[in-house]
Amino acid sequence: MNAIALWVLLVLWFVFSGNAMGLNISPRPSVVNVGAIFSFKSPIGSVEKIAIKAAEKDVNADSSVLNGTKLVITMQDAAGSYFVAIVEALQFMETDTVAIIGPQTSVTAHVISHVANELQVPLLSFAAKDPTLNSLQYPFFFQTAPNDQFEMTAIADVVDYFQYREVIAIYVDDDNGRNGVSALGVKLAERRCKISYKAALPPQATRSEILDLLVKVALLESRVYVVHMRIDLGPLIFSVAHYLGMISEGYVWIATDWLSTILDTFSPLDSDTMASLQGVLVMRQHTPESGKKSAFISRWKELVREEGLGSLGLNSYGYYAYDTVWLIARAIDAFFKSGGTISFSNDPRLQDAKGSNLHLEALSIFDGGKLLLSKLLQADMTGLTGPIRFDSNRHLPRPAYDILNVAGTGYRRIGYWSNYSGLSVVPPEQLYSKPLNESKFNQKLSNVIWPGETLSKPRGWVFPNNGKLLRITVPFRASYQMFVTQDKSTQIMRGYCIDVFVAAVNLLPYAVPYVFIPFGDGKTNPDYNQLVKMVAMNEFDAAVGDIAIVTNRAKIVDFTQPYIESGLVVVAPVKRKDTSAWAFLRPFTFQMWCVTGAFFVIVGAVVWILEHRINDEFRGPPRKQFITILWFSFSTMFFSHRENTLSTLGRFVLLIWLFVVLIINSSYTASLTSILTVQQLSSPIKGIETLLASGDRIGYQVGSYAANYLNEELGVPWSRLVPLDSAQAYAKALTDGPNNGGVAAVVDELPYVDLFLSQYCKFKIAGKQFTKSGWGFVFQRDSPLAVDMSTAILKLSESGDLQRIHDKWFARLGCSSQDTDIESNQLRLRSFWGLFLICAVASLVALAVFLLHMLYQFSRYGPPMNELARPQSSPSGRIQTFLWFMDEREESSRGRSKRTHTEDSSIGNSTREQASQGRSKTTHTGDTSIGNNISQ
């Protein structure tokens, strides 16, 4: 018996110690408790309750999960109260609850998460989506659905897709509303958009408060509204907006997923509610299609019937509620497999104060909380909502949203958004296997039926209906008043720039109420940089005038399309250049004269080489041949050469050269005629380069950006820059010159210079325009009016109205103000190098063919080396022989070759005769001897 008792004790120790043979095994309890906090009667809570019960039933029916331990989920109704939800969470902490599903709101989550951190009980919420509920501050809090950061990113992409730049955010002023709208502002800023106004409502807002807020909003410029609202207040917002006529053409409404929850849960809605939602864009959490999802949808009606809730629809929160239960179950199962035990201990710091009946000591710490937390972080499963696992920031993989458009009696899906592919018309899961393409050209959505049942995209903004005029500042100029100034008698702004602006405004498809406000005193030209800064600082809404589009200004404001070309040019005094005795040399540059002369000699030499062997006119003593080359070459200039060319190659080269000479003669004649008959103007200033190098003083117009450009970009010291305030001051300073207190040149914008030169003919533009810019109208950053005005300016240009306005103000009177290039008008080599190249190539080809022909003739008719005194084996001797052969007349070579051939033939015949005679004599002698022998 003692032995049996000993064996029993050993078995019990093995079972309960949990550390036998290196294994860590713990007993599983029969029940594990999980709490759930939500509002039963809310659209989210009513669906959540059914989904949680179904998941609890499925988990307990699956023997592969929890292995016999029953999952018990206790649900508490928060009844829409933040305080009740907090109290119920504390009550769960008094029981053996290992995890809590919820809370439903971010406000409650912020409070309860501190308790969860202290008592180490994980909170898992799919409805509290505040982006600030981060893992660093709340390590025991999990968001089991994508948080609002991703939804706001999707909305920002939609706003950017439709090219809106400003939105108005309407939200509840609580943690979820404020933090969600802040996330939207960040995402919009990344796309150069912004929230122009934040319209906050109290959590318990009344219809009257909503009415007052929307009336105020309607007076603002933007017509794009993003509604981030509680489910109970959202429909009331749209009801009041519909009452105010704000659900109509020209408005854009975007609602977060609260509206899709209502549409999915209570569809079909009543006609009044649907009328107030027509054209609204709605975000909905995307759940991919799968067999699990289809099976759950098929069960849904039966589950609703069991609860006796009528025709309750299934929304996306139902999927996430179901998956959250399975996530907890699998984490608890892994917790048990790792040796975790369900045990709680009291926190000695939680003690009731004297006389208190709160029973704080009942709150206990979950000893296995950290282990369960680690198992939740390691989760990797696939549920109704797709893959479920957490990254380092505890975000679910690849969050996505459906984009819905309310129309008729329901809604239709116009596209999808995911953090992988952005906007698309195909489900995100079909794009995950394809390469990432974040190009804007790849972003697509289907057509939208906007409020007012129109397919035309709303402009997204209007001028407010509060009687406020657009404040437009106009420079009050003292000089060049034809561009823009104020009529002193009528106080009306007038000028070329004003006419262009008015014509462009008249082309806009809407009325633009505005008032012109002069900037400056009219005695001196105003500072245009300061004028632009005042628009940027919201002191004015826009600026109209002769305002150049330059870099430092474009950084702080928006410009329209340029309506006139501009840029800096140099104006210098010029004087008539008298004709000199050597004027005939001026048509060509020195380089051109040298190259032309060289080609005359080269072509003459080439022709001589090609004609020398066959043409008597190109033969004779060396001195005569050299003179012939020069004479023939230069006589071709006048087509008076007397020597005839006999060879085909020579004629080919001469033909090409005569064509080149014809072009050169014609160009020379035309240039010389111009020099001798047209007035020639000269100036020591040839352009900006010579002006900078001269060291002389430079004039500029007061208020122009030219001074800053010369100083900052070109390094001209301020001591060299002289401010001038009128065209008369320009003329006087240029006439006096730098030696008499004036300036060497004036640097100003081209439109001013054109007007100046139309009145003062003794000044001209020196060199070329050295900057490129234009004049445009100024608007505040991201103003939508800038885009519409640019379109209107393009229409003015295409119709010809812009040119007609220009001609009205700047009809050419007096002397012409055409740009005069004071640089040398000599003919340069770059204008003729193609002709010289053709001639050179023709000459080289002819020489090459001639050389090959000569080598062939030399091999056939060349003299034998034994007739020459020079050594036969020397290479230089062979070259000298070849040159001698080339110098020899062709008939002589052939004749000598013929004579040599004849002599060789004679010698051969004589030798053959002698040999024949010898043979004959020998034969005769032999025959005689034979005869004698016979006779004997």
Side-chain angles (χ1 to χ4, degrees):
M1 292 295 295
N2 292 334
I4 295 175
L6 180 61
W7 277 107
V8 171
L9 289 175
L10 288 175
V11 171
L12 291 175
W13 176 83
F14 176 80
V15 172
F16 292 104
S17 66
N19 194 25
M21 298 179 65
L23 298 177
N24 188 14
I25 301 175
S26 63
R28 290 175 178 251
S30 59
V31 174
V32 61
N33 295 313
V34 173
I37 307 170
F38 53 90
S39 298
F40 290 173
K41 294 183 180 181
S42 68
I44 294 177
S46 57
V47 172
E48 180 182 351
K49 182 178 180 180
I50 300 174
I52 289 177
K53 284 186 176 181
E56 178 186 14
K57 181 178 178 181
D58 293 345
V59 167
N60 290 326
D62 191 340
S63 59
S64 65
V65 182
L66 294 180
N67 194 20
T69 298
K70 183 179 180 181
L71 178 67
V72 176
I73 301 179
T74 304
M75 292 180 279
Q76 295 291 345
D77 185 8
S81 171
Y82 299 147
F83 177 74
V84 172
I86 295 171
V87 171
E88 290 175 347
L90 294 175
Q91 289 177 351
F92 279 129
M93 302 300 182
E94 296 179 355
T95 62
D96 294 343
T97 301
V98 299
I100 297 176
I101 299 174
Q104 187 173 317
T105 64
S106 298
V107 176
T108 309
H110 276 281
V111 178
I112 300 178
S113 293
H114 291 287
V115 180
N117 290 347
E118 188 69 25
L119 302 181
Q120 300 182 12
V121 176
L123 292 177
L124 296 93
S125 178
F126 47 83
K129 301 183 298 176
D130 183 352
T132 63
L133 288 167
N134 58 74
S135 59
L136 295 178
Q137 185 178 8
Y138 307 113
F140 281 85
F141 180 81
F142 285 83
Q143 290 173 324
T144 58
N147 67 36
D148 285 342
Q149 173 186 343
F150 300 103
E151 184 173 20
M152 296 308 172
T153 304
I155 292 175
D157 277 348
V158 170
V159 171
D160 186 47
Y161 175 81
F162 290 112
Q163 299 179 346
Y164 299 128
R165 288 292 169 259
E166 295 184 4
V167 303
I168 293 176
I170 303 174
Y171 63 99
V172 173
D173 192 16
D174 59 14
D175 290 342
N176 186 64
R178 285 191 300 271
N179 295 329
V181 168
S182 295
L184 175 63
V186 171
K187 296 304 177 181
L188 287 173
E190 293 174 358
R191 293 154 180 79
R192 285 198 63 186
C193 306
K194 67 178 181 179
I195 299 176
S196 60
Y197 183 75
K198 294 182 179 180
L201 285 169
Q204 306 298 331
T206 63
R207 183 181 181 87
S208 176
E209 291 173 325
I210 294 174
L211 180 64
D212 292 341
L213 180 70
L214 290 184
V215 168
K216 182 178 181 180
V217 164
L219 297 177
L220 302 177
E221 182 179 279
S222 178
R223 285 292 183 266
V224 182
Y225 306 111
V226 176
V227 183
H228 185 47
M229 195 59 54
R230 284 174 40 173
I231 289 181
D232 55 340
L233 283 179
L236 187 56
I237 293 285
F238 282 99
S239 175
V240 174
H242 185 256
Y243 170 76
L244 294 175
M246 298 174 68
I247 310 296
S248 58
E249 188 172 353
Y251 290 85
V252 178
W253 291 87
I254 303 174
T256 52
D257 63 2
W258 64 266
L259 182 53
S260 63
T261 301
I262 294 177
L263 293 171
D264 288 335
T265 307
F266 303 113
S267 182
L269 300 177
D270 61 86
S271 58
D272 291 339
T273 302
M274 290 303 298
S276 66
L277 298 175
Q278 294 299 303
V280 177
L281 297 181
V282 187
M283 311 304 294
R284 180 177 67 185
Q285 298 169 77
H286 173 73
T287 54
E289 299 299 325
S290 65
K292 289 183 179 180
K293 179 180 175 181
S294 299
F296 188 72
I297 293 174
S298 301
R299 294 173 54 194
W300 183 254
K301 289 185 179 180
E302 180 63 27
L303 295 173
V304 172
R305 190 179 303 112
E306 291 176 359
E307 294 293 325
L309 296 177
S311 59
L312 192 66
L314 176 60
N315 57 50
S316 59
Y317 288 99
Y319 300 125
Y320 283 103
Y322 185 88
D323 284 350
T324 301
V325 174
W326 274 95
L327 174 64
I328 293 174
R330 293 187 182 279
I332 293 174
D333 185 55
F335 169 82
F336 288 142
K337 289 180 180 179
S338 297
T341 59
I342 305 296
S343 63
F344 295 85
S345 59
N346 292 328
D347 188 343
R349 294 172 296 175
L350 296 176
Q351 299 293 332
D352 288 336
K354 188 175 181 180
S356 173
N357 295 320
L358 293 177
H359 302 293
L360 295 178
E361 70 278 359
L363 300 176
S364 56
I365 298 174
F366 177 29
D367 297 328
K370 291 185 178 179
L371 179 58
L372 180 58
L373 176 66
S374 66
K375 297 307 176 185
L376 287 168
L377 291 173
Q378 296 169 12
D380 190 357
M381 56 174 282
T382 301
L384 302 180
T385 59
I388 299 175
R389 57 182 178 273
F390 299 99
D391 60 18
S392 58
N393 295 317
R394 296 195 187 178
H395 294 154
L396 294 174
R398 293 175 177 172
Y401 287 85
D402 298 335
I403 302 173
L404 311 178
N405 180 206
V406 180
T409 58
Y411 59 83
R412 62 190 186 96
R413 183 166 47 206
I414 62 171
Y416 305 87
W417 177 91
S418 75
N419 67 336
Y420 178 79
S421 57
L423 301 174
S424 67
V425 292
V426 298
E429 49 270 14
Q430 295 183 16
L431 301 175
Y432 293 152
S433 60
K434 298 180 180 180
L436 178 62
N437 187 349
E438 296 179 333
S439 170
K440 279 193 174 184
F441 298 103
N442 198 48
Q443 306 296 294
K444 293 180 181 178
L445 290 175
S446 299
N447 292 332
V448 178
I449 300 176
W450 300 98
E453 298 183 356
T454 177
L455 293 175
S456 300
K457 188 193 77 170
R459 191 169 65 249
W461 69 277
V462 294
F463 285 99
N465 299 322
N466 55 6
K468 179 182 177 182
L469 299 176
L470 196 69
R471 300 164 300 164
I472 300 178
T473 182
V474 179
F476 189 4
R477 294 188 57 86
S479 61
Y480 298 112
Q481 297 183 356
M482 297 178 73
F483 290 106
V484 59
T485 191
Q486 184 181 41
D487 191 306
K488 295 182 179 179
S489 59
T490 62
Q491 304 298 309
I492 297 175
M493 304 307 298
R494 56 184 297 274
Y496 165 72
C497 302
I498 300 298
D499 282 2
V500 173
F501 176 79
V502 172
V505 167
N506 291 336
L507 291 178
L508 297 179
Y510 48 87
V512 180
Y514 60 86
V515 58
F516 287 134
I517 303 173
F519 180 76
D521 56 8
K523 298 179 181 178
T524 59
N525 293 333
D527 185 345
Y528 280 51
N529 287 332
Q530 183 61 30
L531 180 147
V532 172
K533 288 180 181 178
M534 294 180 73
V535 174
M537 293 185 296
N538 199 30
E539 295 188 31
F540 298 108
D541 297 313
V544 171
D546 48 337
I547 306 171
I549 305 173
V550 293
T551 303
N552 64 327
R553 298 173 183 172
K555 289 179 179 179
I556 58 176
V557 295
D558 280 348
F559 281 91
T560 63
Q561 172 81 15
Y563 59 87
I564 188 173
E565 292 186 1
S566 183
L568 296 179
V569 293
V570 176
V571 180
V574 294
K575 60 181 180 179
R576 182 185 178 90
K577 183 184 293 185
D578 295 330
T579 302
S580 67
W582 302 99
F584 66 91
L585 296 176
R586 287 175 55 194
F588 288 163
T589 61
F590 177 75
Q591 184 184 30
M592 182 66 181
W593 280 116
C594 293
V595 173
T596 303
F599 261 85
F600 273 111
V601 177
I602 291 172
V603 172
V606 170
V607 174
W608 177 83
I609 292 173
L610 299 177
E611 296 288 324
H612 178 67
R613 300 191 77 241
I614 62 176
N615 194 335
D616 291 337
E617 294 182 349
F618 288 89
R619 297 187 63 82
R623 181 171 176 272
K624 177 184 176 183
Q625 294 182 47
F626 180 73
I627 294 174
T628 299
I629 291 173
L630 295 180
W631 166 253
F632 177 82
S633 300
F634 288 98
S635 62
T636 57
M637 179 184 298
F638 310 103
F639 305 99
S640 60
H641 51 284
R642 294 177 300 176
E643 294 80 6
N644 293 322
T645 52
L646 302 180
S647 67
T648 302
L649 293 176
R651 291 174 178 176
F652 170 71
V653 172
L654 184 61
L655 179 64
I656 299 295
W657 175 243
L658 290 178
F659 176 73
V660 174
V661 169
L662 175 64
I663 300 300
I664 292 176
N665 277 344
S666 301
S667 302
Y668 176 85
T669 302
S671 180
L672 183 61
T673 302
S674 174
I675 291 173
L676 297 178
T677 59
V678 178
Q679 176 178 336
Q680 300 297 305
L681 303 177
S682 67
S683 172
I685 304 300
K686 305 300 181 183
I688 187 62
E689 293 82 6
T690 57
L691 178 61
L692 296 177
S694 68
D696 294 330
R697 299 204 305 170
I698 303 171
Y700 69 91
Q701 184 183 173
V702 174
S704 171
Y705 76 96
N708 289 332
Y709 182 86
L710 290 171
N711 177 257
E712 297 173 4
E713 301 295 333
L714 302 182
V716 179
W718 286 105
S719 59
R720 287 184 60 187
L721 301 178
V722 179
L724 304 171
D725 57 4
S726 65
Q728 294 77 9
Y730 280 20
K732 184 178 185 306
L734 289 171
T735 302
D736 293 343
N739 297 327
N740 296 315
V743 297
V746 171
V747 174
D748 203 355
E749 297 176 60
L750 184 60
Y752 302 123
V753 171
D754 281 342
L755 189 58
F756 171 73
L757 295 181
S758 67
Q759 303 171 5
Y760 296 90
C761 303
K762 61 180 179 178
F763 309 107
K764 296 294 178 183
I765 295 176
K768 302 296 182 182
Q769 181 176 318
F770 60 92
T771 67
K772 290 286 185 180
S773 63
W775 289 355
F777 302 132
V778 179
F779 291 90
Q780 292 180 5
R781 201 73 168 166
D782 300 323
S783 171
L785 189 58
V787 178
D788 290 352
M789 286 294 290
S790 294
T791 304
I793 290 172
L794 289 175
K795 290 180 181 178
L796 287 176
S797 177
E798 292 169 357
S799 65
D801 290 339
L802 195 61
Q803 183 61 44
R804 282 187 281 273
I805 295 173
H806 184 275
D807 295 341
K808 167 189 172 182
W809 287 95
F810 307 111
R812 298 299 181 184
L813 301 175
C815 59
S816 173
S817 62
Q818 284 186 333
D819 295 355
T820 301
D821 187 358
I822 298 179
E823 294 180 353
S824 174
N825 55 0
Q826 292 179 307
L827 298 174
R828 301 178 182 275
L829 179 61
R830 62 172 177 262
S831 301
F832 299 92
W833 73 268
L835 290 172
F836 287 123
L837 178 63
I838 293 173
C839 184
V841 170
S843 300
L844 290 175
V845 171
L847 287 176
V849 173
F850 176 75
L851 180 61
L852 293 174
H853 181 68
M854 288 302 303
L855 290 173
Y856 170 77
Q857 287 191 337
F858 181 71
S859 65
R860 184 174 180 182
Y861 305 117
M865 295 301 298
N866 55 11
E867 294 184 5
L868 301 174
R870 60 183 60 90
Q872 298 182 9
S873 60
S874 172
S876 60
R878 293 287 295 174
I879 295 175
Q880 292 179 12
T881 302
F882 178 70
L883 294 177
W884 176 83
F885 176 77
M886 288 183 61
D887 186 62
E888 187 180 23
R889 187 174 178 82
E890 184 174 354
E891 290 81 356
S892 300
S893 299
R894 294 184 177 182
R896 176 178 47 74
S897 176
K898 185 176 181 180
R899 289 195 304 273
T900 302
H901 180 71
T902 302
E903 292 174 356
D904 290 345
S905 300
S906 300
I907 294 173
N909 292 336
S910 176
T911 302
R912 286 193 295 273
E913 289 176 0
Q914 290 178 0
S916 177
Q917 291 176 0
R919 287 195 300 270
S920 176
K921 183 177 180 179
T922 302
T923 303
H924 178 74
T925 304
D927 291 344
T928 303
S929 299
I930 294 171
N932 290 335
N933 290 334
I934 293 173
S935 63
Q936 290 176 359

